[in-house]
Amino acid sequence: MLINLEYLREKYLEKNFHNDEKLCNFVSTDVIFGFSEISDILKNDSEIRSVLEIGSGAGILLNELKKAFPNIDFSGVDPNESGFHRYKEVYESLKKKEFIIENSQIEKFETTKKFDLVFSINVFEHVRDWKKYIEQTNKLLNKNGKNIILAPNYDFPYEPHFVIPIIINKKITKFFFKNKIKKSEIKTNEIGLWEGLYFLGKKEVERYLMTNNYSYYFDFEIKQRMFNRITQDKEFKRRQGIGGRLAIFAKNLYLDKLIFDFFKVPFPYMKLIIDKKNS
């Protein structure tokens, strides 16, 4: 099953987002990306019968996954904070909800249910206590369950939400880009987004996982898929600004292999798969 921009905009977004084209495109392209990443896993693992999405937003991705995999039980959790309250309107407008999105932070989320798959897309960088996040999601997994985290890798000095370079650390970066950050938050109605970001890198996460004996691996093929996305997804390319243009330039000249494979520069995005840890 394929979903596309026009289908998502017509079905979910134009009415609820009042024909805000940029917001419609923003949400739609992220749903398409998420659907591609998660549906491939569900198609290839018949043992997955229950799924929890963390940071479900409008519920569009869950709704489309439920349509594609009707025999799987889907659930979601989302605090609806930092300007994302408009997403809740879309969720509440769905005529037939075959899943529930709990209004809660994952750190405070309580349920007796267990899941074969827990996943989050571009949520991990917003979690204040990421170690507790990993511990909590591990508790939510069934035996042999998996936790999938797709998120920016801040080992690469680039902040994708505001499309700015990271200068040493978050505090110094804000000093240089204070006006740009403020204007961006006002324009997108996401006041507080900057303060709610935590510049977490792959190296730090991996050290924690190794120290605490988690079974995990990184999907390094995400690099090629992200390059494909930036060349094929016009909205995603637009959002990345000069970073997107530079990425395409590097790809066309095969500089990506030199930079990320030969010189081992950290790739700015990661897909982490953590297996259930049995204490």
Side-chain angles (χ1 to χ4, degrees):
M1 177 181 177
L2 298 175
I3 57 176
N4 57 48
L5 182 63
E6 291 73 22
Y7 163 76
L8 292 173
R9 287 185 58 174
E10 181 179 351
K11 181 171 182 180
Y12 298 101
L13 300 171
E14 288 182 337
K15 179 180 177 181
N16 297 89
F17 288 168
H18 312 293
N19 292 311
D20 185 333
E21 184 174 359
K22 286 186 177 180
L23 187 56
C24 286
N25 290 344
F26 175 87
V27 174
S28 297
T29 54
D30 278 5
V31 169
I32 292 168
F33 169 69
F35 186 88
S36 174
E37 290 295 320
I38 302 304
S39 63
D40 278 351
I41 295 166
L42 299 180
K43 283 187 290 188
N44 294 318
D45 191 342
S46 60
E47 299 298 316
I48 296 177
R49 312 309 303 168
S50 55
V51 176
L52 173 69
E53 180 187 15
I54 299 171
S56 304
I60 297 172
L61 176 55
L62 281 182
N63 203 45
E64 289 301 314
L65 287 171
K66 182 63 180 179
K67 286 174 59 180
F69 304 94
N71 295 324
I72 295 178
D73 177 35
F74 290 93
S75 302
V77 57
D78 196 299
N80 283 297
E81 296 175 340
S82 301
F84 291 105
H85 55 278
R86 291 173 75 182
Y87 292 1
K88 191 174 182 180
E89 295 176 15
V90 180
Y91 166 64
E92 291 176 345
S93 75
L94 297 178
K95 292 181 179 179
K96 185 180 179 182
K97 303 187 189 75
E98 297 189 53
F99 56 88
I100 294 176
I101 297 178
E102 297 286 351
N103 185 201
S104 172
Q105 295 177 334
I106 185 60
E107 297 92 332
K108 300 176 181 178
F109 179 57
E110 294 183 2
T111 180
T112 57
K113 294 177 65 175
K114 298 292 183 181
F115 303 90
D116 300 315
L117 176 67
V118 173
F119 76 90
S120 63
I121 300 174
N122 301 334
V123 170
F124 199 49
E125 71 272 22
H126 300 281
V127 178
R128 181 185 298 274
D129 191 343
W130 60 271
K131 295 178 182 178
K132 187 173 181 180
Y133 174 98
I134 291 176
E135 293 171 2
Q136 173 73 348
T137 48
N138 181 73
K139 293 176 183 177
L140 292 169
L141 291 173
N142 279 322
K143 181 181 179 181
N144 301 321
K146 293 184 182 297
N147 176 19
I148 297 178
I149 296 171
L150 290 121
N153 172 21
Y154 287 99
D155 287 337
F156 186 87
Y158 173 69
E159 206 308 293
H161 299 79
F162 294 89
V163 195
I164 55 177
I166 296 172
I167 302 175
I168 302 177
N169 57 38
K170 184 178 179 181
K171 183 177 180 180
I172 295 174
T173 301
K174 183 179 180 181
F175 175 81
F176 282 101
F177 295 99
K178 184 176 180 179
N179 289 335
K180 180 176 175 58
I181 291 168
K182 183 178 180 181
K183 288 179 181 178
S184 177
E185 288 189 338
I186 293 173
K187 184 178 180 181
T188 59
N189 192 29
E190 297 179 68
I191 306 300
L193 177 61
W194 175 265
E195 295 305 321
L197 287 173
Y198 303 95
F199 290 6
L200 188 60
K202 172 180 174 290
K203 291 180 181 177
E204 186 177 359
V205 176
E206 189 164 20
R207 280 196 298 268
Y208 171 79
L209 295 172
M210 291 179 65
T211 301
N212 290 275
N213 299 314
Y214 280 93
S215 174
Y216 70 94
Y217 64 95
F218 289 92
D219 178 0
F220 293 108
E221 292 182 4
I222 191 67
K223 179 181 72 173
Q224 184 58 51
R225 297 198 297 277
M226 291 302 289
F227 272 116
N228 290 342
R229 184 184 181 192
I230 210 164
T231 55
Q232 299 168 10
D233 184 339
K234 293 180 180 179
E235 170 61 19
F236 184 65
K237 176 185 174 183
R238 183 195 65 78
R239 278 158 45 190
Q240 300 309 309
I242 189 172
R245 293 192 291 274
L246 288 173
I248 293 174
F249 176 78
K251 181 68 176 175
N252 290 338
L253 294 180
Y254 300 99
L255 294 176
D256 59 311
K257 295 185 181 298
L258 181 67
I259 295 169
F260 298 113
D261 296 343
F262 185 79
F263 288 113
K264 304 297 182 183
V265 173
F267 191 70
Y269 201 75
M270 61 181 176
K271 182 175 183 179
L272 170 63
I273 298 91
I274 307 173
D275 293 322
K276 167 71 174 180
K277 178 185 176 185
N278 296 308
S279 302

